[in-house]
Amino acid sequence: MIVPVRPTAPALVLLPALALLPVLIVVLNGAHGGGAEILGSFVVGAVSPSMDPALLKALLIGLQVTVATALTGWSCSLVLGVLLGCLSSERLWLTWSLPAWPAIVLRRLMALPRSIHELIWGLLLLQVLGLHPWVAVMAILLPYSCLIARVWRDQLQSLDPSRLQAILQTGSSPMAACMTALSPAMGSVLVSYGGYRLECALRSATLLGVFGLGGLGMDLELSLKSLQFHELWSGLWLLTLVTIALEQGLRCWRSWGEQAQFGQRQAMGFAVAVGLSGGLGGLWLAHLFPEAGSLNWLPVQWPDLHSLQLAAQELPWLSMLWETLILTVLAAGIAIGLPPLLLLLNPARPWQHCISGFWILVRVIPPPLAVLLLLLSNQPTLAIGALALGLHNSGVMGRLLQEGLEQQDHSAQVALTSSGASPQVGWLYGSLSPRSPSHLAYGAYRSDVILRETVVVGLIGGSGLGWQLLESLSSFHWAAVLLLITTYAALTLIGEWLSDRSRQHWLQS
Amino acid sequence: MASRERRAVSLLAVLLCQGVTVLPVVAQPTLKVGAIPDQNPERLNRLYGQLADELSDRLNVKVRYVPVSNYPAAVSAFRTGGLDLVWFGGLTGVQARLQTPGAQVLAQRDIDARFRSVFIANTSSGLQPISSINGLTSLRGKRFSFGSESSTSGRLMPQHFLAKAGVTPSQFSGGRAGFSGSHDATIAVVQSGAYEAGALNEQVWTSAVNNGRVNTKKVSVIWRTPEYVDYHWVVRPKLDQRFGKRFTTRLQKAILGLKPTTPRQVTILELFAAKRFIPAQASQYKPIEKVGRELGKIR
């Protein structure tokens, strides 16, 4: 008899950290001290950020723009994402005794918006809508709502169907059955996942300042261009403060919900908050940009078949795809594997707080800045891009993991350690093990994000699909842009298929 | 039950009220200005009010500074009418005018008619100063970085001179050139040794050296390129219809009339690193267009 050998759940979570090995070998091999002076001035900038009144004024105005854009984009993407998520769930179509194929088609179609970075969406929308505050909102809305829809749909599908079936058997309408059987579980998904998306929206809005809205991100970008580290840090510290405030606010909200045992009401309250913040953000944007005017659709000229063929021959497909895949896989490995690895080193409280601080720091530092900093003490390799992207996203994954660990029951860990297991082993099997499936699931969604973020580090890495896309956009070579976007979508679809398959294979058996 | 329904309705209303903010607002004609200078662009982003006020006072129209920091975005915004007057680089200005028929060149700086780039090298790279363009062949096999991908002085013209010497980016170490993102970043990555050589705007290099921001023991100039034209003010067509007779001419005069006489004008000229602005013609930028087409940056 053949016994299939499968790694245990916590091992699966730690396995991706192996990506660190090749990356660190290359990075340490190329390390040099040539950029010490500039790195030093970066560190000095951190402890003495500029307090120039003109700068602070610009930053505060910028912060308003960024927050308003983030709130609006977040709110709209949640509403749309939940809607699309329900529509793309086969289970809901079947509940209404309808064929399930529209759900599958919709789900596949959503790979396109999801696979393209916000910055690229902004540039594309600018072509057809002109300069408008809502271009930035929509640039967030498109990929975000499709990502939320994917998470929502996966959660809906993974719920135990027996309750729904039981209620349907009693003869109640499909709507009532769904509301009764599914909404309690989905409410808590909405609150925890939805809250987390707000911080993501804030980071994206920071990137999108470049489209005529200004904002915190524009100031950061310009200060980075001229390497004014004191001024750069004023913006980074401000962003850090906002991130911490947001994280603590959401934590308070959650603990309030847990104590009050008002799961349903908490979800309702959250939905109202989502709606209100969307309205507030929209009005705020209208107030900040009173002359924005209405949105008009401008005509576009699509590239013809001949120019597409020419562009296809011009692009270096093999090296481009190879570099993008390597970059994505290594960065995703670091992002997924590093958080549990760091937590495993020492499960004690003070260390965990230090690590939370580290997650915030790597989330706040934008990937292009991270690449530049790494480059100052290294040589330009793909490993630098992977490390920058991986660290940035490990901040996101680390936050999610820690949040999940805080919420779960600690009795298993306590039982293991009191029965003589070391703190590490107790933490590994008592705490990490139950979180493994969801950490891996979030890791799969993160890999999507990392793939589209290869655009952001493409520039300094000078490689891969991302760089080609930026180069084609800056040459207004639309045929190549169309081909590259399609490639991104195809890669995202393949990634989705792989993660679905592996989830079935590893975790649901 | 009734109160629950009422709550559901009000929730729906709240969700729908987001849409209201997209409704049109009637606006007076406003001159929308955009600019991304090569040097200390972050200062203009904070002091743009000075430029807007100066133009507004001289022209008697509302002027608004629109912060667009991404080159392709600025070109597209100019084409779609989101920007009326833009301080473009050589390449981006040509791209913008080709995409916006009827757009005009208004002015350039005194230095823009005779602009240069410099090639710099890390002293430990073993690269020696070059006396003629053919010396650029010594860069083959080296790690080399340009600045931003749309920059005329940090990418287009350096790549053009390299091509003239028979050097293509695929001959650099790693089979490609890096893109540091900006002129100052190019200095930083070459000084640190991450890249062995790079190319950037001569003006930015000179001022970085003068301000003591360069360690000249570690990085030095190996070649100055021949002269070419760079930055220019470009306006959208048909501004006269929106702002009144001869508006475009008045606008040109206002820009050419900026002299270091009042503190505000001193600041503005400083923000653009200009002594003064001089008239410019579209024909001056023909060579840039030719190079842009050769290198595939203009299609």
Side-chain angles (χ1 to χ4, degrees), chain A residues 82-417:
Chain A
V82 166
L83 204 70
L84 285 173
C86 291
L87 284 177
S88 61
S89 156
E90 291 95 320
R91 175 166 294 161
L92 290 196
W93 286 83
L94 293 173
T95 308
W96 263 264
S97 342
L98 293 166
W101 63 265
I104 299 168
V105 172
L106 181 65
R107 194 148 67 92
R108 299 290 173 234
L109 282 178
M110 284 192 306
L112 177 69
R114 218 177 58 213
S115 58
I116 296 162
H117 195 267
E118 301 89 278
L119 205 64
I120 306 296
W121 269 125
L123 274 171
L124 293 176
L125 288 169
L126 187 63
Q127 307 302 323
V128 288
L129 295 172
L131 217 49
H132 195 281
W134 274 78
V135 164
V137 173
M138 276 193 265
I140 295 178
L141 177 65
L142 281 166
Y144 272 43
S145 56
C146 290
L147 184 59
I148 293 171
R150 182 180 175 204
V151 175
W152 190 260
R153 178 256 165 203
D154 285 356
Q155 294 284 337
L156 270 177
Q157 291 293 110
S158 66
L159 288 180
D160 178 17
S162 55
R163 284 182 65 188
L164 181 61
Q165 240 102 58
I167 299 173
L168 279 174
Q169 298 282 314
T170 64
S172 55
S173 74
M175 189 56 149
C178 284
M179 290 310 279
T180 318
L182 305 178
S183 70
M186 296 313 284
S188 74
V189 173
L190 180 71
V191 175
S192 72
Y193 186 71
Y196 144 76
R197 291 311 296 178
L198 178 56
E199 197 201 295
C200 297
L202 187 73
R203 275 198 306 276
S204 291
T206 308
L207 269 178
L208 285 171
V210 295
F211 300 118
L213 295 188
L216 201 50
M218 169 130 177
D219 215 278
L220 287 177
E221 193 198 332
L222 295 180
S223 301
L224 176 60
K225 271 192 178 167
S226 43
L227 304 187
Q228 300 288 346
F229 291 130
H230 296 279
E231 305 185 354
L232 185 69
W233 269 105
S234 312
L236 284 178
W237 281 124
L238 188 61
L239 197 59
T240 311
L241 285 179
V242 175
T243 308
I244 294 176
L246 197 63
E247 201 173 295
Q248 292 303 324
L250 285 169
R251 183 168 290 161
C252 286
W253 176 292
R254 272 198 312 273
S255 65
W256 166 77
E258 275 159 28
Q259 283 162 12
Q261 295 289 315
F262 280 164
Q264 283 277 57
R265 197 166 288 182
Q266 192 196 13
M268 248 346 233
F270 188 78
V272 172
V274 169
L276 280 179
S277 53
L280 178 78
L283 289 173
W284 201 351
L285 276 181
H287 169 73
L288 288 167
F289 303 97
E291 288 151 14
S294 55
L295 275 173
N296 299 309
W297 188 266
L298 305 162
V300 264
Q301 208 183 356
W302 288 89
D304 56 45
L305 197 64
H306 180 63
S307 57
L308 283 175
Q309 279 170 343
L310 282 180
Q313 286 161 10
E314 234 173 78
L315 292 169
W317 288 102
L318 219 56
S319 64
M320 206 165 69
L321 285 172
W322 167 245
E323 282 166 358
T324 306
L325 286 178
I326 284 286
L327 195 61
T328 310
V329 168
L330 289 178
I334 296 173
I336 298 169
L338 187 64
L341 191 65
L342 281 184
L343 289 174
L344 179 66
L345 288 180
N346 186 356
R349 274 263 150 197
W351 170 255
Q352 310 248 343
H353 283 300
C354 287
I355 295 204
S356 296
F358 175 70
W359 298 145
I360 292 180
L361 190 72
V362 289
R363 284 207 306 275
V364 164
I365 291 185
L369 171 61
V371 174
L372 186 66
L373 291 175
L374 287 170
L375 209 52
L376 287 175
S377 57
N378 221 290
Q379 292 198 357
T381 51
L382 221 54
I384 293 285
L387 191 59
L389 213 51
L391 280 177
H392 181 70
N393 283 289
S394 76
V396 180
M397 290 300 293
R399 188 213 133 149
L400 279 172
L401 180 65
Q402 219 154 16
E403 200 180 290
L405 290 172
E406 274 167 24
Q407 281 173 308
Q408 85 180 0
D409 185 23
H410 293 283
S411 53
Q413 187 186 356
V414 174
L416 275 166
T417 38

Side-chain angles (χ1 to χ4, degrees), chain A residues 32-38 52 54-55 58 61 72 75-76 79 119 123 126-132 134 209-215 218-219 221-228 231 264-265 268 271-284 286 289-295 298-300 314 319 323 372 375-380 382 459-464 467 470-478, chain B residues 4 7-8 11 14-15 17-28 30 32 35-48 62 64-83 91-92 95-96 99 122 143-144 147-150 155 159 174 176-195 213-215 218 295-299:
Chain A
H32 58 76
E37 298 153 274
I38 307 167
D52 176 22
L55 168 71
I61 296 173
T72 321
S75 159
C76 295
V79 174
L119 205 64
L123 274 171
L126 187 63
Q127 307 302 323
V128 288
L129 295 172
L131 217 49
H132 195 281
W134 274 78
V210 295
F211 300 118
L213 295 188
M218 169 130 177
D219 215 278
E221 193 198 332
L222 295 180
S223 301
L224 176 60
K225 271 192 178 167
S226 43
L227 304 187
Q228 300 288 346
E231 305 185 354
Q264 283 277 57
R265 197 166 288 182
M268 248 346 233
V272 172
V274 169
L276 280 179
S277 53
L280 178 78
L283 289 173
W284 201 351
F289 303 97
E291 288 151 14
S294 55
L295 275 173
L298 305 162
V300 264
E314 234 173 78
S319 64
E323 282 166 358
L372 186 66
L375 209 52
L376 287 175
S377 57
N378 221 290
Q379 292 198 357
L382 221 54
L459 202 66
I460 297 181
S463 53
W467 184 78
L470 287 179
E471 170 74 354
S472 306
L473 274 166
S474 74
S475 314
F476 301 93
H477 188 10
W478 297 115
Chain B
R4 239 188 151 173
R7 246 183 279 159
L11 175 62
V14 167
L15 293 177
C17 79
Q18 297 165 8
V20 178
T21 53
V22 209
L23 292 178
V25 183
V26 183
Q28 302 168 254
T30 307
K32 287 161 285 184
I36 322 162
D38 245 0
Q39 211 167 355
N40 300 343
E42 77 289 349
R43 288 198 65 217
L44 178 68
N45 199 37
R46 285 161 213 154
L47 300 173
Y48 57 84
K62 268 177 86 177
R64 193 161 65 89
Y65 165 78
V66 183
V68 182
S69 72
N70 178 296
Y71 287 111
V75 170
S76 302
F78 185 78
R79 174 176 70 79
T80 55
L83 292 169
L91 171 65
T92 44
Q95 286 177 331
Q99 293 182 25
N122 190 294
R143 296 188 301 275
F144 185 90
S148 150
E149 81 278 13
S150 294
R155 191 254 170 108
Q159 193 177 341
R176 67 169 72 90
F179 286 86
S180 70
S182 73
H183 301 290
D184 286 292
T186 303
I187 301 179
V189 293
V190 175
Q191 180 179 318
S192 76
Y195 287 94
R213 289 174 53 207
V214 180
N215 184 342
K218 286 187 174 176
L295 299 180
K297 294 306 290 178
I298 295 173
R299 297 267 164 181

Side-chain angles (χ1 to χ4, degrees), chain A residues 426-476:
Chain A
W427 182 82
L428 193 61
Y429 287 94
S431 281
L432 183 62
S433 190
R435 291 304 307 167
S436 299
S438 67
H439 185 71
L440 284 176
Y442 281 135
Y445 306 134
R446 249 309 112 179
S447 311
D448 257 25
V449 177
I450 290 173
L451 173 64
R452 64 172 196 250
E453 276 187 355
T454 54
V455 164
V456 188
V457 296
L459 202 66
I460 297 181
S463 53
L465 279 171
W467 184 78
Q468 275 298 342
L469 186 51
L470 287 179
E471 170 74 354
S472 306
L473 274 166
S474 74
S475 314
F476 301 93

